[in-house]
Amino acid sequence: MMHHSSFPEEGEKDLQWSEFIDRLFETAAPYLAVRGDADHTAVSHGYSLTLLQNEGGNRRIVEPAVILHDVGWSVLEPENISAAFGVLAKGEEAERLNRIHETEGAAIAEKILRSFDYDPGLVESIRDIISRHDSGETAPSLEEALVKDADKLWRFSRTGFWQETARQRLNPQTLLDFLEARSRHWFFSPTALRLAQQELFTRRDEINNLPS
Ligand SMILES: [Fe+2]
Ligand SMILES: [Fe+2]
């Protein structure tokens, strides 16, 4: 995979890239299935493409990092997973488990990317981003900013919002209020903030039209 032929035609290069992305999704699938993260990963990957288009950044870092960022949940027991994430997760134990999904995820991602003979420099950048994708409050690079923004945007999407209310047993209005309060200082890129606000507008409409 990722053979570097000297001067590939533009179209050919795109095809190779999309094949690589497909294979990466396939390889990540069993890890992502443990917490039920297939939809989360696909939706966040979709957002990352829009972010890359509007903000720039290296897609050879951003796309693999988004696809692999949550593979680390696969090492935790199911009962620990539910204690470790979401708007109600609090405390030292939740934090410890959350750190495990970051560090184990970074190690698994590195192993997967090496199996594709992926560029070692890029592997290192991707591993570092995954190792702090949730806990890190700064983004030292544009690529890291876009990965974190794409991850958070999931909760604002139609699929993500309604899946998270079910998965975290939240009242939709409670989640909406939480996201509205956080969105203003959550995102690194202006594109992500704009997308989040558009999504919230639609989610509010959906909540107001729920059958009572
Ligand atoms: Fe995560
Ligand atoms: Fe995530």
Side-chain angles (χ1 to χ4, degrees):
M1 211 50 202
M2 302 312 293
H3 301 292
H4 304 286
S5 51
S6 39
F7 295 106
E9 300 288 320
E10 238 353 272
E12 183 193 345
K13 213 161 113 194
D14 282 355
L15 185 64
Q16 286 175 355
W17 180 251
S18 71
E19 274 172 10
F20 168 65
I21 291 300
D22 287 351
R23 297 221 13 224
L24 209 51
F25 265 110
E26 280 166 27
T27 312
Y31 298 95
L32 296 174
V34 174
R35 193 182 67 144
D37 277 324
D39 289 347
H40 164 39
T41 305
V43 167
S44 286
H45 178 249
Y47 281 125
S48 78
L49 299 180
T50 309
L51 295 176
L52 282 164
Q53 220 162 39
N54 287 275
E55 303 284 342
N58 186 349
R59 69 176 182 176
R60 297 183 68 209
I61 296 174
V62 172
E63 290 191 56
V66 170
I67 294 167
L68 299 172
H69 80 277
D70 271 337
V71 293
W73 287 117
S74 60
V75 305
L76 295 176
E77 297 299 324
E79 60 269 29
N80 286 334
I81 293 176
S82 53
F85 74 93
V87 307
L88 301 179
K90 281 185 189 69
E92 260 170 51
E93 181 62 0
E95 225 161 86
R96 190 185 70 82
L97 295 166
N98 198 283
R99 286 295 298 147
I100 292 175
H101 105 278
E102 291 181 324
T103 52
E104 294 296 319
I108 295 167
E110 182 171 8
K111 193 186 70 183
I112 290 173
L113 289 167
R114 282 188 194 283
S115 77
F116 283 97
D117 275 333
Y118 207 60
D119 180 297
L122 299 176
V123 173
E124 206 179 308
S125 306
I126 293 163
R127 188 198 58 206
D128 290 349
I129 291 173
I130 294 176
S131 75
R132 51 177 184 246
H133 72 266
D134 227 359
S135 61
E137 279 168 20
T138 57
S141 68
L142 174 60
E143 285 75 19
E144 184 158 345
L146 300 189
V147 172
K148 288 175 172 167
D149 282 355
D151 186 19
K152 293 202 171 73
L153 277 168
W154 152 252
R155 310 174 195 196
F156 296 75
S157 70
R158 183 189 306 262
T159 311
F161 182 87
W162 293 105
Q163 267 191 29
E164 292 297 334
T165 57
R167 176 155 82 171
Q168 301 182 44
R169 297 174 212 278
L170 293 170
N171 178 297
Q173 189 62 50
T174 306
L175 184 57
L176 187 79
D177 293 345
F178 174 84
L179 294 176
E180 267 175 353
R182 294 302 162 91
S183 63
R184 279 166 240 137
H185 30 250
W186 234 358
F187 295 104
F188 294 101
S189 69
T191 304
L193 179 59
R194 184 169 51 77
L195 289 170
Q197 285 170 340
Q198 284 169 358
E199 294 287 10
L200 284 175
F201 191 80
T202 316
R203 298 295 83 73
R204 195 175 311 126
D205 242 25
E206 289 164 1
I207 290 174
N208 291 337
N209 291 311
L210 283 176
S212 43

